Short mmCIF file of all heavy atoms in Angstrom, two decimals:
data_model
loop_
_atom_site.label_atom_id
_atom_site.label_comp_id
_atom_site.label_asym_id
_atom_site.label_seq_id
_atom_site.Cartn_x
_atom_site.Cartn_y
_atom_site.Cartn_z
N CYS A 1 -16.75 -1.14 41.81
CA CYS A 1 -17.98 -1.28 40.77
C CYS A 1 -17.39 -1.27 39.41
O CYS A 1 -16.26 -0.70 39.05
CB CYS A 1 -18.99 -0.16 40.90
SG CYS A 1 -18.29 1.60 40.57
N ILE A 2 -18.04 -1.74 38.46
CA ILE A 2 -17.73 -1.72 37.00
C ILE A 2 -18.64 -0.82 36.23
O ILE A 2 -18.29 -0.16 35.31
CB ILE A 2 -17.79 -3.12 36.38
CG1 ILE A 2 -16.76 -4.10 36.98
CG2 ILE A 2 -17.60 -3.11 34.81
CD1 ILE A 2 -16.71 -5.47 36.38
N VAL A 3 -19.85 -0.70 36.69
CA VAL A 3 -20.90 0.32 36.25
C VAL A 3 -21.49 1.04 37.43
O VAL A 3 -21.50 0.37 38.56
CB VAL A 3 -22.01 -0.31 35.39
CG1 VAL A 3 -21.29 -1.03 34.07
CG2 VAL A 3 -22.78 -1.33 36.16
N THR A 4 -21.92 2.20 37.30
CA THR A 4 -22.62 2.91 38.38
C THR A 4 -24.01 2.40 38.61
O THR A 4 -24.59 1.72 37.69
CB THR A 4 -22.66 4.44 37.90
OG1 THR A 4 -23.47 4.60 36.95
CG2 THR A 4 -21.38 4.89 37.77
N GLU A 5 -24.49 2.65 39.68
CA GLU A 5 -25.92 2.27 40.09
C GLU A 5 -26.88 2.89 39.16
O GLU A 5 -27.86 2.30 38.64
CB GLU A 5 -26.23 2.43 41.52
CG GLU A 5 -25.40 1.75 42.51
CD GLU A 5 -25.82 1.94 43.93
OE1 GLU A 5 -27.01 2.46 44.19
OE2 GLU A 5 -25.15 1.46 44.88
N ALA A 6 -26.62 4.15 38.76
CA ALA A 6 -27.52 4.95 37.86
C ALA A 6 -27.59 4.21 36.51
O ALA A 6 -28.63 4.11 35.92
CB ALA A 6 -27.19 6.37 37.83
N ASP A 7 -26.47 3.91 35.92
CA ASP A 7 -26.30 3.22 34.69
C ASP A 7 -26.97 1.87 34.68
O ASP A 7 -27.62 1.49 33.73
CB ASP A 7 -24.85 3.11 34.22
CG ASP A 7 -24.28 4.50 33.75
OD1 ASP A 7 -25.11 5.36 33.43
OD2 ASP A 7 -23.07 4.67 33.62
N PHE A 8 -26.87 1.02 35.78
CA PHE A 8 -27.42 -0.33 35.86
C PHE A 8 -28.94 -0.17 35.82
O PHE A 8 -29.56 -0.86 35.06
CB PHE A 8 -26.96 -0.91 37.20
CG PHE A 8 -27.66 -2.27 37.30
CD1 PHE A 8 -27.15 -3.38 36.75
CD2 PHE A 8 -28.70 -2.42 38.22
CE1 PHE A 8 -27.76 -4.63 36.91
CE2 PHE A 8 -29.33 -3.58 38.31
CZ PHE A 8 -28.88 -4.70 37.75
N VAL A 9 -29.43 0.87 36.59
CA VAL A 9 -30.80 0.89 36.67
C VAL A 9 -31.46 1.34 35.30
O VAL A 9 -32.42 1.04 34.71
CB VAL A 9 -31.35 1.89 37.75
CG1 VAL A 9 -32.85 2.26 37.77
CG2 VAL A 9 -30.95 1.37 39.10
N ALA A 10 -30.73 2.34 34.65
CA ALA A 10 -31.15 2.83 33.38
C ALA A 10 -31.05 1.71 32.33
O ALA A 10 -31.98 1.63 31.42
CB ALA A 10 -30.19 4.10 32.93
N ALA A 11 -30.15 0.80 32.41
CA ALA A 11 -30.08 -0.33 31.37
C ALA A 11 -31.18 -1.26 31.57
O ALA A 11 -31.56 -2.01 30.65
CB ALA A 11 -28.68 -0.98 31.59
N GLN A 12 -31.77 -1.30 32.79
CA GLN A 12 -32.94 -2.28 32.86
C GLN A 12 -34.23 -1.82 32.38
O GLN A 12 -35.05 -2.59 32.07
CB GLN A 12 -33.16 -2.44 34.41
CG GLN A 12 -31.99 -2.84 35.34
CD GLN A 12 -31.15 -3.95 34.75
OE1 GLN A 12 -31.71 -5.02 34.51
NE2 GLN A 12 -29.94 -3.77 34.48
N ILE A 13 -34.32 -0.51 32.09
CA ILE A 13 -35.47 0.04 31.34
C ILE A 13 -35.40 0.33 29.93
O ILE A 13 -36.24 0.86 29.28
CB ILE A 13 -35.96 1.25 32.23
CG1 ILE A 13 -34.97 2.36 32.27
CG2 ILE A 13 -36.33 0.89 33.66
CD1 ILE A 13 -35.41 3.65 32.91
N VAL A 14 -34.18 0.06 29.43
CA VAL A 14 -33.96 0.32 28.04
C VAL A 14 -34.70 -0.65 27.24
O VAL A 14 -34.72 -1.84 27.46
CB VAL A 14 -32.48 0.28 27.65
CG1 VAL A 14 -32.41 0.28 26.09
CG2 VAL A 14 -31.75 1.44 28.27
N SER A 15 -35.46 -0.15 26.24
CA SER A 15 -36.26 -1.05 25.39
C SER A 15 -35.68 -0.90 23.90
O SER A 15 -35.63 0.26 23.39
CB SER A 15 -37.67 -0.71 25.28
OG SER A 15 -38.43 -1.53 24.36
N ALA A 16 -35.30 -2.03 23.18
CA ALA A 16 -34.85 -1.86 21.90
C ALA A 16 -35.90 -2.20 20.88
O ALA A 16 -35.55 -2.45 19.66
CB ALA A 16 -33.60 -2.81 21.66
N GLN A 17 -37.12 -2.17 21.26
CA GLN A 17 -38.23 -2.53 20.40
C GLN A 17 -38.33 -1.42 19.21
O GLN A 17 -38.34 -0.24 19.52
CB GLN A 17 -39.51 -2.71 21.09
CG GLN A 17 -40.62 -3.10 20.32
CD GLN A 17 -41.95 -3.19 21.11
OE1 GLN A 17 -41.93 -2.87 22.33
NE2 GLN A 17 -42.99 -3.56 20.49
N ASN A 18 -38.28 -1.92 18.01
CA ASN A 18 -38.37 -1.01 16.92
C ASN A 18 -39.80 -0.58 16.77
O ASN A 18 -40.83 -1.35 16.86
CB ASN A 18 -37.87 -1.70 15.67
CG ASN A 18 -36.46 -1.93 15.66
OD1 ASN A 18 -35.68 -1.22 16.12
ND2 ASN A 18 -36.03 -3.12 14.96
N ARG A 19 -40.02 0.69 16.55
CA ARG A 19 -41.43 1.22 16.22
C ARG A 19 -41.26 1.88 14.76
O ARG A 19 -40.29 2.41 14.22
CB ARG A 19 -41.64 2.34 17.29
CG ARG A 19 -41.79 1.89 18.61
CD ARG A 19 -42.16 2.94 19.65
NE ARG A 19 -43.48 3.43 19.32
CZ ARG A 19 -44.67 2.85 19.78
NH1 ARG A 19 -44.53 1.83 20.54
NH2 ARG A 19 -45.90 3.30 19.49
N PRO A 20 -42.38 1.83 14.14
CA PRO A 20 -42.51 2.46 12.79
C PRO A 20 -42.02 3.89 12.75
O PRO A 20 -42.17 4.51 13.79
CB PRO A 20 -43.91 2.28 12.42
CG PRO A 20 -44.48 1.17 13.25
CD PRO A 20 -43.69 1.32 14.52
N ALA A 21 -41.56 4.41 11.73
CA ALA A 21 -41.00 5.67 11.60
C ALA A 21 -42.11 6.72 11.95
O ALA A 21 -41.87 7.81 12.42
CB ALA A 21 -40.40 6.00 10.26
N ASP A 22 -43.29 6.46 11.58
CA ASP A 22 -44.34 7.41 11.75
C ASP A 22 -44.90 7.29 13.22
O ASP A 22 -45.87 8.10 13.56
CB ASP A 22 -45.63 7.19 10.79
CG ASP A 22 -46.04 5.65 10.79
OD1 ASP A 22 -45.70 5.01 11.76
OD2 ASP A 22 -46.74 5.25 9.78
N GLY A 23 -44.48 6.30 13.89
CA GLY A 23 -44.88 6.20 15.47
C GLY A 23 -46.10 5.53 15.67
O GLY A 23 -46.63 5.41 16.76
N ARG A 24 -46.84 5.11 14.62
CA ARG A 24 -48.10 4.52 14.74
C ARG A 24 -48.03 3.01 15.16
O ARG A 24 -47.13 2.36 14.78
CB ARG A 24 -48.98 4.56 13.47
CG ARG A 24 -49.41 5.98 13.17
CD ARG A 24 -50.25 6.03 11.90
NE ARG A 24 -49.56 5.37 10.74
CZ ARG A 24 -50.17 5.01 9.75
NH1 ARG A 24 -51.40 5.19 9.49
NH2 ARG A 24 -49.62 4.37 8.64
N ASN A 25 -49.03 2.52 15.96
CA ASN A 25 -49.08 1.09 16.24
C ASN A 25 -49.82 0.40 15.20
O ASN A 25 -50.86 0.94 14.58
CB ASN A 25 -49.88 0.91 17.64
CG ASN A 25 -48.96 1.36 18.80
OD1 ASN A 25 -47.90 1.28 18.77
ND2 ASN A 25 -49.69 1.94 19.72
N ARG A 26 -49.50 -0.84 14.81
CA ARG A 26 -50.09 -1.51 13.79
C ARG A 26 -50.75 -2.79 14.21
O ARG A 26 -50.31 -3.41 15.23
CB ARG A 26 -49.10 -1.93 12.73
CG ARG A 26 -48.69 -0.70 11.75
CD ARG A 26 -47.67 -1.02 10.75
NE ARG A 26 -47.45 -0.03 9.83
CZ ARG A 26 -46.76 1.00 9.99
NH1 ARG A 26 -46.08 1.18 11.14
NH2 ARG A 26 -46.63 1.95 9.15
N THR A 27 -51.84 -3.15 13.70
CA THR A 27 -52.54 -4.44 14.03
C THR A 27 -52.44 -5.45 12.90
O THR A 27 -52.58 -5.15 11.74
CB THR A 27 -54.14 -4.09 14.15
OG1 THR A 27 -54.20 -3.08 15.17
CG2 THR A 27 -54.77 -5.40 14.57
N TYR A 28 -51.99 -6.61 13.38
CA TYR A 28 -51.71 -7.80 12.49
C TYR A 28 -53.02 -8.77 12.74
O TYR A 28 -53.05 -9.37 13.76
CB TYR A 28 -50.39 -8.39 12.72
CG TYR A 28 -49.20 -7.48 12.49
CD1 TYR A 28 -48.76 -6.59 13.46
CD2 TYR A 28 -48.65 -7.48 11.20
CE1 TYR A 28 -47.75 -5.80 13.22
CE2 TYR A 28 -47.58 -6.59 11.01
CZ TYR A 28 -47.11 -5.76 11.87
OH TYR A 28 -46.03 -4.95 11.70
N LEU A 29 -53.81 -8.87 11.65
CA LEU A 29 -55.04 -9.63 11.72
C LEU A 29 -54.86 -11.08 11.88
O LEU A 29 -55.66 -11.74 12.46
CB LEU A 29 -55.74 -9.32 10.50
CG LEU A 29 -56.46 -7.80 10.43
CD1 LEU A 29 -57.16 -7.69 9.11
CD2 LEU A 29 -57.05 -7.28 11.60
N LEU A 30 -53.66 -11.61 11.33
CA LEU A 30 -53.50 -13.15 11.37
C LEU A 30 -52.57 -13.56 12.45
O LEU A 30 -52.02 -14.65 12.49
CB LEU A 30 -52.98 -13.48 10.06
CG LEU A 30 -53.80 -13.24 8.84
CD1 LEU A 30 -53.11 -13.64 7.49
CD2 LEU A 30 -55.13 -13.81 8.94
N VAL A 31 -52.31 -12.70 13.43
CA VAL A 31 -51.31 -13.22 14.49
C VAL A 31 -52.09 -14.33 15.29
O VAL A 31 -53.27 -14.24 15.64
CB VAL A 31 -51.30 -11.95 15.52
CG1 VAL A 31 -50.58 -12.53 16.84
CG2 VAL A 31 -50.34 -10.97 14.90
N GLY A 32 -51.36 -15.38 15.52
CA GLY A 32 -51.91 -16.55 16.27
C GLY A 32 -52.53 -17.57 15.32
O GLY A 32 -52.84 -18.63 15.72
N LEU A 33 -52.77 -17.22 14.04
CA LEU A 33 -53.60 -18.06 13.09
C LEU A 33 -52.58 -18.83 12.20
O LEU A 33 -52.95 -19.95 11.65
CB LEU A 33 -54.59 -17.30 12.27
CG LEU A 33 -55.80 -16.60 13.11
CD1 LEU A 33 -56.58 -15.82 12.22
CD2 LEU A 33 -56.62 -17.71 13.85
N LEU A 34 -51.47 -18.20 11.88
CA LEU A 34 -50.64 -18.76 10.87
C LEU A 34 -49.53 -19.59 11.59
O LEU A 34 -48.93 -19.21 12.50
CB LEU A 34 -49.90 -17.71 10.07
CG LEU A 34 -50.88 -16.77 9.40
CD1 LEU A 34 -50.07 -15.76 8.48
CD2 LEU A 34 -51.81 -17.55 8.47
N ARG A 35 -49.32 -20.79 11.04
CA ARG A 35 -48.09 -21.74 11.55
C ARG A 35 -47.26 -22.05 10.43
O ARG A 35 -47.64 -22.17 9.27
CB ARG A 35 -48.73 -22.88 12.29
CG ARG A 35 -49.47 -22.58 13.49
CD ARG A 35 -49.90 -23.80 14.12
NE ARG A 35 -50.51 -23.54 15.50
CZ ARG A 35 -50.00 -23.32 16.59
NH1 ARG A 35 -48.66 -23.40 16.68
NH2 ARG A 35 -50.65 -23.11 17.71
N CYS A 36 -45.91 -22.28 10.80
CA CYS A 36 -44.90 -22.59 9.77
C CYS A 36 -45.26 -24.00 9.32
O CYS A 36 -45.49 -25.01 10.08
CB CYS A 36 -43.61 -22.63 10.42
SG CYS A 36 -42.18 -23.27 9.34
N GLY A 37 -45.29 -24.28 8.06
CA GLY A 37 -45.45 -25.47 7.48
C GLY A 37 -44.40 -26.51 7.56
O GLY A 37 -44.46 -27.72 7.21
N ILE A 38 -43.23 -26.11 8.06
CA ILE A 38 -42.15 -26.98 8.45
C ILE A 38 -42.03 -27.40 9.74
O ILE A 38 -41.89 -28.64 9.97
CB ILE A 38 -40.70 -26.22 7.86
CG1 ILE A 38 -40.74 -25.84 6.31
CG2 ILE A 38 -39.51 -27.14 8.20
CD1 ILE A 38 -39.58 -25.16 5.90
N CYS A 39 -41.91 -26.41 10.69
CA CYS A 39 -41.85 -26.83 12.11
C CYS A 39 -43.14 -26.78 12.91
O CYS A 39 -43.11 -27.22 14.03
CB CYS A 39 -40.78 -25.98 12.71
SG CYS A 39 -41.31 -24.22 12.87
N GLY A 40 -44.24 -26.11 12.37
CA GLY A 40 -45.45 -26.07 12.96
C GLY A 40 -45.55 -25.05 14.02
O GLY A 40 -46.63 -24.88 14.73
N ARG A 41 -44.48 -24.21 14.25
CA ARG A 41 -44.68 -23.15 15.23
C ARG A 41 -45.35 -21.91 14.71
O ARG A 41 -45.49 -21.78 13.46
CB ARG A 41 -43.30 -22.80 15.81
CG ARG A 41 -42.62 -23.86 16.53
CD ARG A 41 -41.09 -23.46 16.89
NE ARG A 41 -40.56 -24.34 17.82
CZ ARG A 41 -40.12 -25.71 17.62
NH1 ARG A 41 -40.18 -26.06 16.27
NH2 ARG A 41 -39.61 -26.41 18.44
N SER A 42 -45.94 -21.13 15.66
CA SER A 42 -46.58 -19.86 15.18
C SER A 42 -45.60 -18.96 14.52
O SER A 42 -44.46 -18.80 14.89
CB SER A 42 -47.18 -19.27 16.47
OG SER A 42 -48.24 -20.04 17.05
N MET A 43 -46.12 -18.37 13.42
CA MET A 43 -45.34 -17.34 12.76
C MET A 43 -45.48 -15.98 13.41
O MET A 43 -46.53 -15.64 13.98
CB MET A 43 -45.74 -17.27 11.39
CG MET A 43 -45.58 -18.52 10.49
SD MET A 43 -46.10 -18.53 8.82
CE MET A 43 -44.70 -17.62 8.20
N GLN A 44 -44.42 -15.15 13.37
CA GLN A 44 -44.34 -13.91 14.07
C GLN A 44 -44.67 -12.80 13.10
O GLN A 44 -44.48 -12.90 11.84
CB GLN A 44 -42.98 -13.60 14.63
CG GLN A 44 -42.57 -14.55 15.60
CD GLN A 44 -41.13 -14.23 16.21
OE1 GLN A 44 -40.47 -13.31 15.78
NE2 GLN A 44 -40.72 -14.92 17.25
N SER A 45 -45.39 -11.75 13.55
CA SER A 45 -45.74 -10.67 12.70
C SER A 45 -44.63 -9.66 12.68
O SER A 45 -43.98 -9.40 13.70
CB SER A 45 -47.00 -10.08 13.18
OG SER A 45 -46.86 -9.63 14.58
N HIS A 46 -44.33 -8.93 11.57
CA HIS A 46 -43.41 -7.89 11.46
C HIS A 46 -43.70 -7.05 10.26
O HIS A 46 -44.52 -7.41 9.37
CB HIS A 46 -41.94 -8.48 11.48
CG HIS A 46 -41.60 -9.15 10.09
ND1 HIS A 46 -40.62 -8.74 9.36
CD2 HIS A 46 -42.29 -10.16 9.36
CE1 HIS A 46 -40.55 -9.42 8.19
NE2 HIS A 46 -41.51 -10.34 8.26
#
């Protein structure tokens, strides 16, 4: 083996999603409504 089974399973559940420092969830009112004027794709909220 190169990694242990425990480390492999642990790596599958790691989430690198950033959360605000205060830990609160935020709502973005314009999600899905705004599109890029250059490529036409939906713009992402952040």
Side-chain angles (χ1 to χ4, degrees):
C1 70
I2 295 180
V3 298
T4 65
E5 294 185 14
D7 285 346
F8 174 80
V9 173
Q12 308 311 302
I13 59 178
V14 169
S15 174
Q17 182 178 2
N18 292 327
R19 299 183 64 86
D22 55 14
R24 295 184 303 168
N25 291 327
R26 286 180 169 79
T27 301
Y28 296 87
L29 300 178
L30 300 180
V31 170
L33 298 177
L34 303 183
R35 292 187 178 275
C36 175
I38 297 176
C39 67
R41 289 172 171 82
S42 295
M43 299 182 72
Q44 297 180 358
S45 59
H46 72 124

